[in-house]
Amino acid sequence: MYTKFLTARSPLRLLEKGLHGGLGKGNLGLVLAGPGVGKTSFLVGVALDDLIRGDHVLHVALDQTVAHTRDHYDTVFEDLVATTQLEDEAEVHAAVDRGRSIRAYASPEFNAGKLAEALRIEEEAGVKPALVIVDGIDRATLTVGELAAWQRIAQDLPAEIWISMVCASERIDPVPAEVEAAADQLDVILALEPGAEVVGLRAIKDHDNPDVEALRVALDPRTMLLKRN
């Protein structure tokens, strides 16, 4: 399968449709999930979709090593190859590696200033990410002022910025109070919740749309790839 055909058929196109166009450049999205439910796999899948289309991605791994994060990409990529019969696997894998930067930080230390610093390093290397992933944000970062600074970074690039946070429960109900308090600074909020056969993906906030639609995608618990649901 050729890469253009692969990305055109990706379940991410359904996610984008369900979110009235997806997250979009200049916007900030949050993924909520219980421990081990699949937030990293979801974000890696989003990143691989951009990377296969030739965009650059900055992945900030909080409380994880660069090597561990790279291995996670390799695992999801191998599952993608196995399920899609992707042609030129080695060539595409090399392009993915070239287009991705991984930086590791301790979560309590990471904030908008650290993100701006990481992006300056990318710029000095001649790179401008179209997508930034910050995986495992500390709850203390979810303040109105801090997220407003993240929003400005997303708009200035412009790029999509996805962040994730671990919740105590596998069921994101009710939404954590700190998330509700900072909701105006977030354009999209998603919840990953385990079901009988799939890990469900639920939209809590979809930009300014008053009626949040059901999303028709989920994570396959065997491969942790997005699938139509």
Side-chain angles (χ1 to χ4, degrees), residues 32 139 167-169 171-177 179-180 193 202 204:
L32 302 171
R139 283 172 176 257
C167 297
S169 172
R171 301 293 172 186
I172 316 301
D173 187 20
V175 174
V179 174
E180 284 194 319
E193 298 168 319
R202 177 167 60 90
I204 296 172

Side-chain angles (χ1 to χ4, degrees), residues 96-204:
V96 164
D97 285 345
R98 287 193 302 270
R100 178 199 61 216
S101 297
I102 302 173
R103 301 192 180 278
Y105 297 83
S107 60
E109 302 171 359
F110 195 79
N111 54 27
K114 292 286 188 181
L115 177 58
E117 179 184 325
L119 289 166
R120 280 195 297 271
I121 295 171
E122 295 293 300
E123 184 179 2
E124 288 169 2
V127 172
K128 188 175 183 180
L131 170 66
V132 177
I133 285 173
V134 182
D135 187 17
I137 200 72
D138 189 88
R139 283 172 176 257
T141 303
L142 292 177
T143 65
V144 172
E146 179 68 14
L147 288 181
W150 288 58
Q151 271 191 320
R152 289 192 293 272
I153 291 172
Q155 292 163 3
D156 289 345
L157 272 170
E160 294 185 347
I161 299 182
W162 279 106
I163 61 179
S164 72
M165 188 183 84
V166 175
C167 297
S169 172
E170 290 183 340
R171 301 293 172 186
I172 316 301
D173 187 20
V175 174
E178 60 269 35
V179 174
E180 284 194 319
D184 286 346
Q185 276 61 52
L186 295 160
D187 298 283
V188 171
I189 304 174
L190 302 179
L192 282 170
E193 298 168 319
E197 298 182 356
V198 296
V199 177
L201 194 59
R202 177 167 60 90
I204 296 172

Side-chain angles (χ1 to χ4, degrees), residues 25-60:
K25 288 189 177 182
N27 293 326
L28 185 61
L30 173 66
V31 180
L32 302 171
V37 170
K39 64 180 178 58
T40 301
S41 294
F42 169 75
L43 291 173
V44 167
V46 172
L48 282 173
D49 186 73
D50 272 41
L51 289 163
I52 289 172
R53 288 188 287 175
D55 289 331
H56 190 88
V57 173
L58 171 62
H59 187 120
V60 175

Side-chain angles (χ1 to χ4, degrees), residues 208-228:
D208 293 324
N209 296 302
D211 299 319
V212 179
E213 295 183 8
L215 302 177
R216 298 184 180 182
V217 290
L219 278 178
D220 186 327
R222 294 166 299 175
T223 65
M224 298 311 289
L225 293 174
L226 277 174
K227 61 180 290 185
R228 289 164 171 78

Side-chain angles (χ1 to χ4, degrees), residues 53-72:
R53 288 188 287 175
D55 289 331
H56 190 88
V57 173
L58 171 62
H59 187 120
V60 175
L62 301 179
D63 300 328
Q64 295 289 348
T65 65
V66 171
H68 176 84
T69 304
R70 187 183 298 116
D71 288 345
H72 208 128

